[in-house]
Amino acid sequence: MKKQSKWIKQDLKYNWHPYTQMKECEKLPPILIESAQGIKLFDENGKFYYDTISSWWCNVHGHNHPIIKAAIKKQLDTLEHVLFAGFTHKGAIQLAEQLVSITPKSLTRVFFSDNGSTAVETALKMSFQYWQNTGNKEKIKFVALDSAYHGDTVGTMSISGVDLYNEVFSPLFLRSFMVPTPNCYRCPAGQNRKSCKIDCLKQLETLLKHKNREIAALILEPLVLGAGGMIVYPKEYLAKAAKLAKKYNVHLILDEVATGFGRTGKMFAAEHANVQPDFMCVSKGITAGYLPMGATLTTEKIYKAFYADVEKRKTFYHGHTYTANPLACAAALASLEVFKKEKTLSRAQKLIPFFHQELEKFKNLSIVGDVRALGMIGALELTKDKISKEIYKEGLKQNLLLRPLGKVIYFFLPLCIKKEEIKLVLDRTYNLIHAYDH
Ligand SMILES: *Cc1c(COP(=O)(O)O)cnc(C)c1O
């Protein structure tokens, strides 16, 4: 084993890392990153890693981008933070206006917070209170997909799939309904995508039909279930689910925390199916991965159900200290400017077919059971357990950050990636997996 640097010793003495069994850290200590540029992370010894998962799905235009950096520095010279109740600031006004203009047209109001879980939690509470405010006292439950992931706070865990990670907390959960995830790789009807009629929607339809009086909202990650294993599902499912929600008077919450800001090849995944949700939650990519921020967008109809004299007790009493932080707003505005200046979306759209074509090659490997992709997201589901961790360790030796989700090795590429970088990253990953393919 390599000698641990003084920094790592101190890290292991004082820090408690997320999703980490700290005992394992003694064998596989964290890597100390000192700087980053574009899609590369540099460690304390000068070794670099391709940031193939965008530093947990948030980086968009690359690290150390001059425009975003300059915007944050400029903001720092005038105002770093101010409370957002009773006060406001120009960045939050401009950003809210821009978010309304780039999201589906049903959405006209922005409620800021500071991470993905709080953006979802806000939508749950708003939906719940909307029904309370409008005299529908029984509408108190939520519907989610059984492989969904919507965050790690108690409310958002309650509407996420119960797995290894959150099973221990299940006694604390809100009451909710889970319906089967549309998962073409494991289609229970053995259907083929080209001929199927989205039969997997049946259970959702039955539930909404019989229980809609108890249901406040249906929440979906549009088209890609991220932490559930990068499960890509047909846009027809999303479009039909949205119609059912409307038909049965249930809100539709789209959790675009991972899919938002270009990752699927469109600004928001909802656009692929032309869906008009009642709520949209964004976070990760909103500041291009530079500062924490969350936002929940909603419709004028929902906003109006809270708009009343104070004595009517319809106010939304919810908020977070760092709501609409000015530095985060400056980063988010700069990111939207980069989208325009660098034509980020159309540039990415030209590369996506190449990326998908390169991914197809993994189908030759017998150890790869499924290959799925949408936009700059690509996933390889392995047929065997336990190798993904080995692949992660081997990947690090070869400059790749391939942090797996169970049996799934995936790419969540920053939109700024170049064609040659896609080729290099995928070729190296292919050779890595090939070594385990007997
Ligand atoms: C990451 C994620 C969240 C939670 O965001 P945090 O900022 O980690 O709290 C919620 N929903 C989805 C779809 C996510 O991918």
Side-chain angles (χ1 to χ4, degrees), residues 57 115-117 120 149-151 221 255 257-258 283-284:
W57 322 350
N115 64 69
S117 303
V120 175
Y149 176 78
H150 296 294
E221 291 160 273
D255 178 354
V257 169
S283 182
K284 293 189 170 111

mmCIF file of all heavy atoms in Angstrom, residues 57 115-117 120 149-151 221 255 257-258 283-284, ligand 1:
data_model
loop_
_atom_site.group_PDB
_atom_site.id
_atom_site.type_symbol
_atom_site.label_atom_id
_atom_site.label_comp_id
_atom_site.label_asym_id
_atom_site.label_seq_id
_atom_site.Cartn_x
_atom_site.Cartn_y
_atom_site.Cartn_z
ATOM 1 N N TRP A 57 -22.625 14.717 -11.304
ATOM 2 C CA TRP A 57 -23.697 15.117 -12.201
ATOM 3 C C TRP A 57 -23.980 16.611 -12.202
ATOM 4 O O TRP A 57 -25.058 17.043 -12.601
ATOM 5 C CB TRP A 57 -25.010 14.353 -11.902
ATOM 6 C CG TRP A 57 -24.842 12.921 -11.513
ATOM 7 C CD1 TRP A 57 -23.681 12.174 -11.583
ATOM 8 C CD2 TRP A 57 -25.832 12.024 -11.014
ATOM 9 N NE1 TRP A 57 -23.910 10.896 -11.154
ATOM 10 C CE2 TRP A 57 -25.206 10.774 -10.795
ATOM 11 C CE3 TRP A 57 -27.189 12.167 -10.719
ATOM 12 C CZ2 TRP A 57 -25.907 9.674 -10.289
ATOM 13 C CZ3 TRP A 57 -27.873 11.056 -10.224
ATOM 14 C CH2 TRP A 57 -27.237 9.828 -10.011
ATOM 15 N N ASN A 115 -30.300 23.004 -2.489
ATOM 16 C CA ASN A 115 -29.799 21.722 -3.020
ATOM 17 C C ASN A 115 -30.966 20.956 -3.642
ATOM 18 O O ASN A 115 -32.104 21.436 -3.631
ATOM 19 C CB ASN A 115 -29.071 20.903 -1.945
ATOM 20 C CG ASN A 115 -29.977 20.488 -0.808
ATOM 21 O OD1 ASN A 115 -30.860 19.657 -0.974
ATOM 22 N ND2 ASN A 115 -29.773 21.075 0.355
ATOM 23 N N GLY A 116 -30.677 19.777 -4.152
ATOM 24 C CA GLY A 116 -31.714 19.012 -4.850
ATOM 25 C C GLY A 116 -32.799 18.487 -3.915
ATOM 26 O O GLY A 116 -33.992 18.550 -4.233
ATOM 27 N N SER A 117 -32.383 17.976 -2.767
ATOM 28 C CA SER A 117 -33.368 17.448 -1.818
ATOM 29 C C SER A 117 -34.328 18.546 -1.364
ATOM 30 O O SER A 117 -35.535 18.306 -1.255
ATOM 31 C CB SER A 117 -32.679 16.844 -0.596
ATOM 32 O OG SER A 117 -31.781 15.838 -0.972
ATOM 33 N N VAL A 120 -36.891 19.351 -4.031
ATOM 34 C CA VAL A 120 -37.969 18.356 -4.096
ATOM 35 C C VAL A 120 -38.879 18.480 -2.878
ATOM 36 O O VAL A 120 -40.112 18.478 -2.998
ATOM 37 C CB VAL A 120 -37.395 16.918 -4.218
ATOM 38 C CG1 VAL A 120 -38.513 15.883 -4.151
ATOM 39 C CG2 VAL A 120 -36.602 16.759 -5.511
ATOM 40 N N TYR A 149 -35.079 8.021 -7.303
ATOM 41 C CA TYR A 149 -34.254 8.667 -6.278
ATOM 42 C C TYR A 149 -34.577 10.158 -6.314
ATOM 43 O O TYR A 149 -34.438 10.811 -7.342
ATOM 44 C CB TYR A 149 -32.755 8.462 -6.535
ATOM 45 C CG TYR A 149 -31.926 9.218 -5.519
ATOM 46 C CD1 TYR A 149 -31.743 8.718 -4.231
ATOM 47 C CD2 TYR A 149 -31.372 10.466 -5.821
ATOM 48 C CE1 TYR A 149 -31.031 9.426 -3.281
ATOM 49 C CE2 TYR A 149 -30.666 11.185 -4.880
ATOM 50 C CZ TYR A 149 -30.491 10.663 -3.617
ATOM 51 O OH TYR A 149 -29.789 11.380 -2.672
ATOM 52 N N HIS A 150 -35.025 10.686 -5.165
ATOM 53 C CA HIS A 150 -35.372 12.106 -5.115
ATOM 54 C C HIS A 150 -34.654 12.857 -4.007
ATOM 55 O O HIS A 150 -34.970 14.027 -3.761
ATOM 56 C CB HIS A 150 -36.885 12.266 -4.980
ATOM 57 C CG HIS A 150 -37.646 11.741 -6.170
ATOM 58 N ND1 HIS A 150 -37.555 12.317 -7.417
ATOM 59 C CD2 HIS A 150 -38.469 10.670 -6.313
ATOM 60 C CE1 HIS A 150 -38.320 11.634 -8.278
ATOM 61 N NE2 HIS A 150 -38.870 10.630 -7.634
ATOM 62 N N GLY A 151 -33.718 12.209 -3.316
ATOM 63 C CA GLY A 151 -32.959 12.929 -2.308
ATOM 64 C C GLY A 151 -32.792 12.123 -1.039
ATOM 65 O O GLY A 151 -33.256 10.987 -0.938
ATOM 66 N N GLU A 221 -38.687 11.335 -12.201
ATOM 67 C CA GLU A 221 -37.458 11.839 -12.806
ATOM 68 C C GLU A 221 -37.709 11.664 -14.304
ATOM 69 O O GLU A 221 -37.856 10.529 -14.774
ATOM 70 C CB GLU A 221 -36.259 10.972 -12.408
ATOM 71 C CG GLU A 221 -35.849 11.053 -10.956
ATOM 72 C CD GLU A 221 -35.010 9.838 -10.540
ATOM 73 O OE1 GLU A 221 -35.586 8.799 -10.141
ATOM 74 O OE2 GLU A 221 -33.778 9.934 -10.636
ATOM 75 N N ASP A 255 -38.789 15.933 -11.341
ATOM 76 C CA ASP A 255 -37.513 16.134 -10.654
ATOM 77 C C ASP A 255 -36.416 16.157 -11.719
ATOM 78 O O ASP A 255 -35.943 15.110 -12.158
ATOM 79 C CB ASP A 255 -37.309 14.999 -9.651
ATOM 80 C CG ASP A 255 -35.966 15.094 -8.925
ATOM 81 O OD1 ASP A 255 -35.164 15.969 -9.299
ATOM 82 O OD2 ASP A 255 -35.745 14.291 -8.002
ATOM 83 N N VAL A 257 -33.505 17.477 -11.267
ATOM 84 C CA VAL A 257 -32.257 17.804 -10.551
ATOM 85 C C VAL A 257 -31.039 17.272 -11.318
ATOM 86 O O VAL A 257 -30.035 17.967 -11.460
ATOM 87 C CB VAL A 257 -32.307 17.272 -9.102
ATOM 88 C CG1 VAL A 257 -30.941 17.368 -8.434
ATOM 89 C CG2 VAL A 257 -33.343 18.061 -8.290
ATOM 90 N N ALA A 258 -31.149 16.026 -11.833
ATOM 91 C CA ALA A 258 -30.016 15.453 -12.564
ATOM 92 C C ALA A 258 -30.108 15.735 -14.066
ATOM 93 O O ALA A 258 -29.103 15.966 -14.724
ATOM 94 C CB ALA A 258 -29.951 13.946 -12.331
ATOM 95 N N SER A 283 -31.517 21.593 -9.673
ATOM 96 C CA SER A 283 -30.401 21.880 -8.766
ATOM 97 C C SER A 283 -29.094 21.583 -9.498
ATOM 98 O O SER A 283 -28.745 22.313 -10.409
ATOM 99 C CB SER A 283 -30.523 21.073 -7.469
ATOM 100 O OG SER A 283 -29.471 21.403 -6.599
ATOM 101 N N LYS A 284 -28.459 20.466 -9.184
ATOM 102 C CA LYS A 284 -27.123 20.098 -9.701
ATOM 103 C C LYS A 284 -26.517 21.009 -10.787
ATOM 104 O O LYS A 284 -25.594 21.752 -10.511
ATOM 105 C CB LYS A 284 -27.147 18.650 -10.184
ATOM 106 C CG LYS A 284 -27.339 17.687 -9.013
ATOM 107 C CD LYS A 284 -27.164 16.253 -9.407
ATOM 108 C CE LYS A 284 -27.114 15.360 -8.195
ATOM 109 N NZ LYS A 284 -28.253 14.466 -8.008
HETATM 110 C C1 LIG B 1 -29.029 14.232 -6.699
HETATM 111 C C2 LIG B 1 -30.483 14.189 -6.844
HETATM 112 C C3 LIG B 1 -31.335 14.722 -5.847
HETATM 113 C C4 LIG B 1 -30.816 15.253 -4.547
HETATM 114 O O1 LIG B 1 -29.982 16.361 -4.696
HETATM 115 P P1 LIG B 1 -28.990 16.764 -3.508
HETATM 116 O O2 LIG B 1 -28.440 18.087 -3.932
HETATM 117 O O3 LIG B 1 -27.944 15.687 -3.459
HETATM 118 O O4 LIG B 1 -29.787 16.828 -2.265
HETATM 119 C C5 LIG B 1 -32.688 14.722 -6.087
HETATM 120 N N1 LIG B 1 -33.199 14.225 -7.226
HETATM 121 C C6 LIG B 1 -32.424 13.700 -8.190
HETATM 122 C C7 LIG B 1 -33.054 13.191 -9.444
HETATM 123 C C8 LIG B 1 -31.045 13.646 -8.026
HETATM 124 O O5 LIG B 1 -30.274 13.087 -8.973
#
